[in-house]
Amino acid sequence: MKENSPLHPSQTSMLRREFFAAGGLGMGSLAMAAMASRDAIAAPATDPSHRALGLHLPQRAKRVIYLFQSGAPSQLDLLDHKPLLNERHGTELPASVRGGQRLTGMSGNQSSLPLVGSPWKFSRHGQSGAQLSELMPHLAGVADELCIVRSMHTEAINHGPGVTFVQTGSMFPGRPSMGAWLDYGLGRENDDLPSFVVMVTKNKGGQPLVSRLWGSGFLPSRHQGVRFRSGKDPVLYLNNPEGIDPDSRRSAIGALSKLHQIKLDQTHDPLVQARISQYELAYRMQSSIPDATNLSDEPESTFKLYGDDAKNPGTFAANCVLARRLAERGVRFIQLYHPGWDHHGGIQNGLPRQCRETDQPSAALLADLKQRGMLDDTLVIWGGEFGRTNYCQGKLSPNSFGRDHHPRCFSVWMAGGGIRPGMTYGATDEFGYNIAENPVHIHDLQATILHQLGIDHERLTFKYQGRNFRLTDVHGKVQHALIDPIPTVG
């Protein structure tokens, strides 16, 4: 700096920061104005649900309940019956079927890959004739509500990348989760509750489930999921400390907001704005969360429908009841994780136990939503991150076997939210190893979910590090065959 400069170096630095902050705010305002103008065309202003970026398409689903079965359920023992595997039980997987495809490190070094037929019987149910395993008797009772997709596939071959791919559209950490994208794109219906809630079944082992799976990635932090836990404090650190009453808390929040506003005026930092909104939401949640999570006002018929576990907070059944209560209160994306499906061995004992924990509550959720008139606009999804192999991992014995990871094909089911009911879509070959018709990629599933929520997956974007990102990356195709046609009038 020149000696005759009237400004101290620190003053020059401050002015520079203020200039760029103010300039950044101005450019941001122009960008927001442009988005508002664009979305005013796509979203009618009279619809109160259009509170963020707006809708691009007719909205068939207002909310999503995703029953994520972490660990990868065996489609060959639940949803995709392959009689040939029973006929050839114990014989070698033909090289022509495998086609040189890669295997995991857990079975890739086996000298033998013996085929394994399912020990459980399959039968057809409902007018649709959906084929389901005997391990899912309650789901069989609502078979005509289901759209079973047997031709899902993914590139991920291990759990961490696999779950991350389903939830964020990328196998690499750091991207926003699906629920965060929806909160960013659609906003909240209820200002007293988060629009994205996550629950994990308590006391379950299996692969770790980390918070980045429901994180906001590079989106503003206010869009991340809020995890609900069982016990007296469903949301950590929400209750007032001992000796602090509601009036004192309200006064403290007000004072903090004023201080944050001063900081925001000085720096124009969006993180400060996010902090203000999160403090305010947390204060409102102090009254809304106890009301939403208290199941004592549910009639006995509810617990009979969902099963005895529904009275035990933190179980999958109790979480399903809570998911319905949150859906009623305007929560837009409700994610239930149920770990324990990773059956590399001992599948004869492990798989029935998982089904006993999840079959009745899953079916009850569909029946409950339908009787309340909510299934039509609630999209329910059930499935894991990939499938299981048709061959045995390790040694095959009469009373014990396991199945390794298999990304080439697996099954999920969906119901409600404008998805075509009573349908089985896609098919695998007779060995259950490769897709034979109508493949559906993870990105295709994500694109279809967004479509049902009124979002064009190619237009829901966020600029980060110089380019526009989206949930489906540069891929994804809406699967219109899975969508129930809108009835024509007249």
Side-chain angles (χ1 to χ4, degrees):
M1 172 179 274
K2 296 181 180 179
E3 292 183 1
N4 62 352
S5 173
L7 296 177
H8 187 274
S10 63
Q11 293 175 297
T12 305
S13 176
M14 177 62 72
L15 290 176
R16 185 183 299 113
R17 288 198 300 270
E18 291 175 352
F19 170 79
F20 283 114
L25 182 64
M27 294 301 291
S29 300
L30 290 173
M32 287 298 294
M35 285 195 298
S37 174
R38 178 201 68 189
D39 293 317
I41 299 173
T46 55
D47 188 342
S49 67
H50 301 268
R51 300 180 59 182
L53 302 185
L55 302 183
H56 309 127
L57 305 162
Q59 189 180 55
R60 305 290 297 277
K62 292 182 178 179
R63 65 198 72 86
V64 173
I65 301 177
Y66 203 138
L67 309 176
F68 192 80
Q69 311 305 306
S70 175
S74 171
Q75 76 283 4
L76 298 171
D77 298 295
L78 298 176
L79 296 168
D80 194 5
H81 183 38
K82 295 299 173 186
L84 182 65
L85 296 182
N86 293 86
E87 296 173 14
R88 299 197 182 186
H89 183 86
T91 65
E92 194 70 12
L93 170 67
S96 59
V97 174
R98 177 184 168 188
Q101 296 164 10
R102 67 172 178 157
L103 307 179
T104 73
M106 293 167 284
S107 62
N109 58 355
Q110 291 181 198
S111 60
S112 176
L113 300 173
L115 297 172
V116 186
S118 178
W120 296 284
K121 295 180 180 178
F122 280 71
S123 55
R124 296 189 178 276
H125 300 276
Q127 295 183 351
S128 62
Q131 264 191 318
L132 298 171
S133 166
E134 62 181 320
L135 293 176
M136 309 172 88
H138 292 90
L139 204 63
V142 293
D144 287 338
E145 303 294 345
L146 305 180
C147 177
I148 301 171
V149 182
R150 290 177 170 170
S151 53
M152 291 296 306
H153 64 104
T154 179
E155 286 79 47
I157 200 169
N158 287 312
H159 296 288
V163 180
T164 304
F165 200 11
V166 175
Q167 301 304 329
T168 72
S170 172
M171 287 187 279
F172 300 99
R175 300 283 183 89
S177 56
M178 192 185 309
W181 276 112
L182 293 180
D183 187 38
Y184 163 69
L186 297 177
R188 293 195 182 113
E189 286 190 352
N190 186 334
D191 286 335
D192 295 333
L193 287 170
S195 64
F196 178 18
V197 169
V198 175
M199 290 174 276
V200 181
T201 305
K202 68 177 182 180
N203 301 329
K204 296 291 293 182
Q207 298 296 321
L209 296 167
V210 293
S211 59
R212 62 173 169 78
L213 296 173
W214 49 90
S216 57
F218 44 69
L219 293 176
S221 61
R222 66 180 179 272
H223 300 301
Q224 66 187 348
V226 175
R227 181 175 174 182
F228 282 20
R229 292 166 167 82
S230 60
K232 66 177 183 177
D233 294 322
V235 178
L236 295 181
Y237 315 117
L238 186 65
N239 291 335
N240 291 330
E242 188 174 348
I244 301 296
D245 59 32
D247 290 339
S248 298
R249 171 61 70 182
R250 176 67 268 179
S251 177
I253 293 296
L256 277 172
S257 294
K258 291 178 180 178
L259 291 172
H260 283 136
Q261 188 62 49
I262 293 172
K263 186 69 173 176
L264 182 63
D265 292 341
Q266 293 174 342
T267 65
H268 310 292
D269 186 349
L271 294 178
V272 177
Q273 181 63 60
R275 192 175 298 125
I276 294 173
S277 64
Q278 294 297 70
Y279 272 121
E280 292 289 342
L281 175 60
Y283 176 76
R284 296 192 299 272
M285 284 166 56
Q286 287 187 323
S287 59
S288 63
I289 294 298
D291 172 69
T293 59
N294 183 7
L295 305 188
S296 63
D297 61 351
E298 290 287 342
E300 190 62 30
S301 58
T302 294
F303 301 112
K304 184 177 181 181
L305 178 65
Y306 284 84
D308 293 337
D309 279 352
K311 294 183 177 180
N312 184 359
T315 61
F316 183 77
N319 287 346
C320 282
V321 178
L322 184 51
R324 186 264 295 161
R325 292 172 65 91
L326 293 172
E328 288 178 306
R329 288 161 171 79
V331 177
R332 197 178 295 282
F333 194 87
I334 306 157
Q335 181 96 57
L336 272 61
Y337 287 93
H338 187 75
W341 295 93
D342 193 22
H343 295 123
H344 292 276
I347 197 171
Q348 289 97 324
N349 296 321
L351 193 61
R353 180 170 59 251
Q354 291 292 108
C355 290
R356 285 192 297 270
E357 293 171 350
T358 59
D359 175 49
Q360 183 175 354
S362 299
L365 178 62
L366 300 185
D368 199 4
L369 290 170
K370 187 171 185 178
Q371 72 183 4
R372 295 169 187 271
M374 295 176 62
L375 186 59
D376 286 345
D377 59 8
T378 303
L379 176 57
V380 182
I381 309 161
W382 184 101
E385 61 266 40
F386 39 65
R388 314 301 300 196
T389 57
N390 61 0
Y391 60 81
C392 178
Q393 178 180 331
K395 185 178 180 180
L396 176 61
S397 66
N399 299 314
S400 180
F401 74 96
R403 298 189 188 275
D404 200 0
H405 307 166
H406 191 63
R408 298 292 301 177
C409 53
F410 63 105
S411 301
V412 304
W413 61 257
M414 296 184 285
I419 292 295
R420 191 188 297 264
M423 179 184 189
T424 298
Y425 184 78
T428 56
D429 62 26
E430 57 183 351
F431 287 90
Y433 196 91
N434 295 296
I435 293 174
E437 59 184 52
N438 298 325
V440 179
H441 189 267
I442 294 294
H443 286 310
D444 300 333
L445 177 65
Q446 293 162 341
T448 305
I449 293 170
L450 293 184
H451 180 277
Q452 295 307 94
L453 288 157
I455 298 172
D456 180 343
H457 72 105
E458 294 184 350
R459 294 172 63 188
L460 180 63
T461 63
F462 187 88
K463 193 166 187 177
Y464 175 68
Q465 292 185 339
R467 81 168 178 94
N468 288 326
F469 284 81
R470 66 185 205 223
L471 174 63
T472 52
D473 196 36
V474 295
H475 309 285
K477 183 178 181 182
V478 175
Q479 300 296 294
H480 291 282
L482 305 178
I483 299 171
D484 201 21
I486 300 175
T488 56
V489 179

